[in-house]
Amino acid sequence: MAFELDGERIAEENRKRLKWLEEDFEHLGRQLTRRGVDIERLTERAAAFRVSVPSWGLGTGGTRFARFAGPGEPRNVFEKIEDCEVVFKLVRTTPGVSLHIPWDQPESPAELRAFAQARGLFFDSMNSNTFQDQPRQALSYKFGSLSHTDPAVRRQAVEHNLECLRLGVKLGARSHTVWIGDGGNFPGQVHLRKALERYLESVREIYRALPEGWRLFIEHKLFEPAFYSTVLNDWGTSYHCVRELGERAFSLVDLGHHAPNVNIEMIVARLIQFGKLGGFHFNDSKYGDDDLDSGSIKPFQLFLIFNELVDAEQARIPAFDPAYMLDQSHNVTDPIESLMTSAGELVRAYVQAHLVDRARLAEHQEGNDALLALQSLKHAFITDVEPILAMARYRAGGAIDPVGVYRSSGYRQRAAQARPASARLGAGIV
Ligand code: RM4
Ligand code: MN
Ligand code: MN
């Protein structure tokens, strides 16, 4: 299905909004000049920001209870790429796509790669899946995968990861992300130290097979599906593992994988300091791994995370190069709209973090002035930088109002006709 919203259509919609945008941009520019900030430089930063989209976020997600399918959902990886193109065309910050294997297993990797390339997209991180059994799979992951007590199950799980690497090379990907659901539901079920040892031994094999120039990301998670103990449960364990593995192994922080109220920006700072921050799965949550739209629940936390990231960027911390990815599940919204909005929230936090007067903040920190230190962060956080975001999109050929243009395009309605609902009635959080 062609995305009939070509550049001309976007331009036409933009013309309706350009005058007001220019007015707002100019006004903000004057305000920022007073603060010694150049709006053009900030707009360049906004335009340079990149975040990858998860292929699994394009379909409607589900919970443990049900999945309510949305109209025109992509039925295969090619249709997911079509939807990624829509997101990319309108917001311009999302050329990268993360794939999940075997959900996105293509018959012809070369064809898939060309399909994405023709749309200006590329494949970013590969994601393995050993948290589910697949049809015709020899051994079950019911009691774990990379850390399973049975070496044959571990072997199968390692092989699957190696297969992801081989496929990723054909697709031009550049990193591999491993998240496992391994753990136990009851005290005593799993020997805590032995399970981690077995996990490390398995990941070591994957690490050794890592293609030239690739990075390996391991993703910790507090709980779920294991409800008592999870093998890779927190950033400390993750840090220990990536150190054991070697210099191309890094910890990945999924915002939803921590206990409520955990200070995630501190975890980010620690991993930066120790040279092991690999990247992010951005999303937001109220209670657990809710996979809600980024910035929808705790926008200040998102800002504080970006405050650490921008601080590290500006301090030119060696080898600091985190991969930004979204990992969300859209249950009640149109996934395309959620992804576009979420990408925008990340750029917003990124730009706002550039507004922090770091020299002044350092002075307040040195002088133990807690009140003014907080104020220098808040001052940046409350600045409405939307005109910068919109101008960056506009100049890059995207939409001033992505959701507005998308809705008026009727893309979803056309998709609903072109992609009649499949019989697949999936349940579960995936
Ligand atoms: C997990 C984790 C992984 C994602 C799966 C679908 O909770 O966040 O990154 O691949 O969900
Ligand atoms: Mn994740
Ligand atoms: Mn998750």
Side-chain angles (χ1 to χ4, degrees):
M1 186 180 60
F3 177 48
E4 286 147 33
L5 239 182
D6 55 18
E8 185 36 49
R9 180 74 197 280
I10 296 174
E12 190 188 313
E13 290 285 334
N14 281 347
R15 276 193 288 276
K16 297 182 198 161
R17 299 164 172 96
L18 186 58
K19 206 176 131 333
W20 283 7
L21 171 60
E22 279 171 342
E23 252 179 61
D24 293 347
F25 188 78
E26 243 181 72
H27 179 69
L28 178 60
R30 279 196 298 273
Q31 285 183 325
L32 292 178
T33 306
R34 262 186 264 143
R35 287 159 67 172
V37 176
D38 175 10
I39 196 168
E40 285 300 331
R41 214 189 63 81
L42 277 186
T43 312
E44 278 164 29
R45 296 313 305 149
F49 186 85
R50 293 285 174 269
V51 58
S52 292
V53 161
S55 68
W56 59 101
L58 274 318
T60 307
T63 66
R64 290 193 290 130
F65 302 97
R67 194 184 84 88
F68 299 97
E73 285 187 81
R75 295 162 303 178
N76 56 52
V77 63
F78 289 93
E79 293 181 353
K80 290 178 193 173
I81 297 297
E82 288 177 345
D83 289 1
C84 289
E85 182 192 10
V86 178
V87 175
F88 177 53
K89 273 202 166 172
L90 293 169
V91 303
R92 310 307 295 165
T93 38
T94 58
V97 180
S98 295
L99 293 183
H100 224 301
I101 305 302
W103 297 338
D104 298 319
Q105 185 86 44
E107 265 172 41
S108 160
E111 187 192 353
L112 179 60
R113 188 175 182 172
F115 192 81
Q117 242 165 24
R119 286 157 179 78
L121 305 173
F122 68 90
F123 294 111
D124 190 351
S125 205
M126 302 299 290
N127 292 259
S128 56
N129 179 343
T130 61
F131 47 85
Q132 263 184 336
D133 286 346
Q134 304 298 333
R136 293 178 300 281
Q137 182 180 307
L139 303 165
S140 174
Y141 295 134
K142 179 168 179 174
F143 293 106
S145 58
L146 292 175
S147 78
H148 200 285
T149 47
D150 180 353
V153 180
R154 300 205 293 275
R155 173 88 261 126
Q156 180 182 280
V158 168
E159 285 302 331
H160 165 68
N161 277 275
L162 302 185
E163 183 56 41
C164 291
L165 299 180
R166 287 192 286 271
L167 175 61
V169 168
K170 291 185 194 149
L171 292 172
R174 50 193 194 184
S175 63
H176 182 52
T177 306
V178 182
W179 173 74
I180 54 163
D182 294 31
N185 273 14
F186 298 99
Q189 183 188 335
V190 171
H191 188 288
L192 302 181
R193 289 202 314 277
K194 282 185 192 165
L196 186 63
E197 263 167 39
R198 292 192 294 263
Y199 166 77
L200 247 179
E201 190 188 296
S202 299
V203 190
R204 215 171 253 132
E205 261 201 68
I206 302 168
Y207 180 78
R208 276 197 218 107
L210 206 60
E212 184 71 32
W214 278 45
R215 289 188 291 171
L216 178 70
F217 301 140
I218 61 170
E219 186 180 350
H220 59 273
K221 179 169 173 173
L222 172 71
F223 83 104
E224 196 200 25
F227 287 116
Y228 168 68
S229 65
T230 288
V231 175
L232 199 70
N233 61 309
D234 63 12
W235 77 273
T237 313
S238 172
Y239 174 67
H240 167 76
C241 291
V242 293
R243 269 195 65 152
E244 287 288 307
L245 290 169
E247 57 179 20
R248 291 197 287 152
F250 297 88
S251 299
L252 183 136
V253 177
D254 182 315
L255 266 53
H257 290 191
H258 306 89
N261 301 329
V262 161
N263 188 333
I264 300 180
E265 56 273 23
M266 260 191 93
I267 296 175
V268 171
R270 294 285 188 260
L271 288 172
I272 292 172
Q273 189 159 11
F274 306 155
K276 282 297 188 187
L277 178 69
F280 289 88
H281 276 178
F282 285 110
N283 50 50
D284 214 337
S285 72
K286 181 80 179 158
Y287 302 106
D289 191 20
D290 306 348
D291 282 332
L292 296 174
D293 294 11
S294 299
S296 61
I297 307 283
K298 289 171 279 190
F300 190 48
Q301 173 183 268
L302 187 63
F303 165 81
L304 292 173
I305 290 170
F306 272 97
N307 179 48
E308 294 304 323
L309 295 168
V310 169
D311 186 81
E313 202 175 282
Q314 295 184 347
R316 295 185 197 288
I317 303 276
F320 171 75
D321 183 22
Y324 296 147
M325 296 175 268
L326 290 165
D327 182 5
Q328 302 181 167
S329 180
H330 311 109
N331 306 309
V332 297
T333 54
D334 180 321
I336 292 180
E337 296 185 5
S338 274
L339 289 167
M340 293 195 301
T341 310
S342 300
E345 290 310 302
L346 300 186
V347 191
R348 185 188 319 283
Y350 181 65
V351 170
Q352 285 175 325
H354 278 86
L355 283 176
V356 175
D357 185 336
R358 291 190 189 277
R360 195 161 289 167
L361 176 60
E363 267 172 42
H364 300 323
Q365 289 171 342
E366 293 302 316
N368 298 309
D369 193 333
L371 190 116
L372 289 188
L374 170 63
Q375 259 187 21
S376 44
L377 295 184
K378 276 293 186 69
H379 195 34
F381 175 65
I382 62 170
T383 307
D384 180 5
V385 296
E386 186 60 36
I388 296 175
L389 273 52
M391 188 57 89
R393 282 194 297 269
Y394 168 70
R395 289 181 183 169
I400 292 174
D401 173 10
V403 172
V405 178
Y406 170 73
R407 288 210 175 176
S408 73
S409 78
Y411 178 81
R412 183 57 69 191
Q413 289 73 10
R414 285 202 305 283
Q417 305 220 312
R419 306 167 178 171
S422 65
R424 191 169 52 93
L425 273 179
I429 203 135
V430 295

